[in-house]
Amino acid sequence: GEKKTLKASAFAMLGAAPTTNPSKPSSASSLNTLFRIYFVSDSRSVHEWLVSEGHAESPDSGIGGSAVTQSRLQMIENARGKPTCETEKQMQEAMHRLLQLVDRLPFACVKSKREDAWEEFQHKVMQGTDALSLSLQLKWLCDQLVTKVLNPSWQLNARGEWEVKTERCETLKQMYHLMLELEDDAINWRAVDTRWERERSARGRDRKEGGEDPTKEEEVKREGGDGKK
């Protein structure tokens, strides 16, 4: 909202949430639409729903790179096959949510900049066999985050217990809770936004510098010199 990437239609949608008493609308009822989107709609995140409905712009691709343009669920289904039971369906949806989290992070937020490391991470997520295997990948992701994008209070007071829980995770419900804690309590999204801006600026400078090189070469050729002005 602060960056004006969320359109007014999104707020109109929230205002249209049903109420038990229309004469007395409440803030809780306004949030009902968000609750329904997040917990009911086919494993999509709130932001993904906003983008698909045209209420928000598509984000820049994160660590996932160009692969983000392909449906994550489709990628997972291609790797594992179409789910034939509810358990497999839930596993694939959990994988989807974990990879979505990665897509929201630029390389400037993580320690390892090697693309092959993140390709391996994605492979391990999509080859997960149970909740624990996904939880351990979630822990690896957290370990990769630079300190400056994590909330100090969470690191001091909750990180240790959170890490223990990731190593003892037994159900997908527990894994989702751990992932939500990382998203809501651990990651400082304002700091992430700042690093997105830095990364965009760096890309812009690279494109600008790359576009200037041919011009400089032409100037040298016209002068018939040895490359020195």
Side-chain angles (χ1 to χ4, degrees):
E2 291 177 358
K3 294 181 179 294
K4 298 182 180 179
T5 57
L6 190 61
K7 300 179 183 178
S9 55
F11 295 99
M13 184 68 181
L14 293 179
T19 62
T20 53
N21 187 347
S23 64
K24 294 183 179 181
S26 66
S27 58
S29 65
S30 296
L31 290 175
N32 183 56
T33 298
L34 272 181
F35 182 90
R36 188 171 66 254
I37 295 165
Y38 190 82
F39 289 100
V40 178
S41 76
D42 199 20
S43 81
R44 293 184 298 174
S45 68
V46 172
H47 187 269
E48 188 178 18
W49 178 85
L50 290 169
V51 171
S52 68
E53 294 294 318
H55 302 307
E57 302 297 335
S58 297
D60 292 317
S61 60
I63 296 168
S66 59
V68 179
T69 58
Q70 182 182 3
S71 167
R72 283 296 194 187
L73 280 173
Q74 188 61 53
M75 287 175 59
I76 295 167
E77 187 174 304
N78 289 343
R80 297 176 64 93
K82 195 172 183 64
T84 57
C85 64
E86 187 62 25
T87 300
E88 175 62 15
K89 180 182 178 182
Q90 292 175 0
M91 274 292 293
Q92 292 192 17
E93 289 175 350
M95 294 170 188
H96 179 226
R97 282 285 290 115
L98 180 51
L99 293 176
Q100 275 188 319
L101 175 57
V102 176
D103 292 341
R104 295 168 63 191
L105 301 167
F107 273 108
C109 285
V110 296
K111 299 169 185 174
S112 176
K113 314 297 184 188
R114 291 171 34 241
E115 290 188 12
D116 60 335
W118 292 98
E119 289 172 359
E120 182 180 357
F121 166 80
Q122 178 176 282
H123 176 75
K124 287 182 177 179
V125 169
M126 293 194 294
Q127 295 301 317
T129 56
D130 53 22
L132 178 60
S133 63
L134 296 184
S135 181
L136 291 176
Q137 292 309 308
L138 181 67
K139 181 177 182 291
W140 183 88
L141 171 61
C142 182
D143 289 339
Q144 286 297 313
L145 296 175
V146 296
T147 303
K148 291 184 179 180
V149 299
L150 292 172
N151 290 315
S153 59
W154 181 83
Q155 293 189 78
L156 180 64
N157 302 314
R159 181 168 185 166
E161 182 180 355
W162 181 87
E163 290 181 341
V164 170
K165 287 180 179 179
T166 60
E167 295 171 352
R168 299 176 179 176
C169 181
E170 296 180 348
T171 67
L172 288 177
K173 183 177 180 179
Q174 291 174 345
M175 198 281 291
Y176 274 115
H177 281 301
L178 291 167
M179 184 159 48
L180 287 173
E181 181 177 339
L182 183 65
E183 287 182 297
D184 296 343
D185 301 335
I187 298 176
N188 180 342
W189 290 105
R190 287 184 180 274
V192 171
D193 286 342
T194 298
R195 287 172 182 262
W196 266 122
E197 291 298 331
R198 291 178 187 172
E199 195 160 291
R200 291 188 194 105
S201 297
R203 290 174 187 170
R205 285 195 302 271
D206 290 344
R207 284 195 295 268
K208 185 176 179 181
E209 292 171 0
E212 290 175 350
D213 289 343
T215 305
K216 292 179 180 178
E217 290 176 4
E218 286 299 322
E219 288 177 356
V220 171
K221 288 179 181 178
R222 283 198 300 270
E223 292 172 2
D226 58 359
K228 296 180 181 179
K229 290 187 177 181

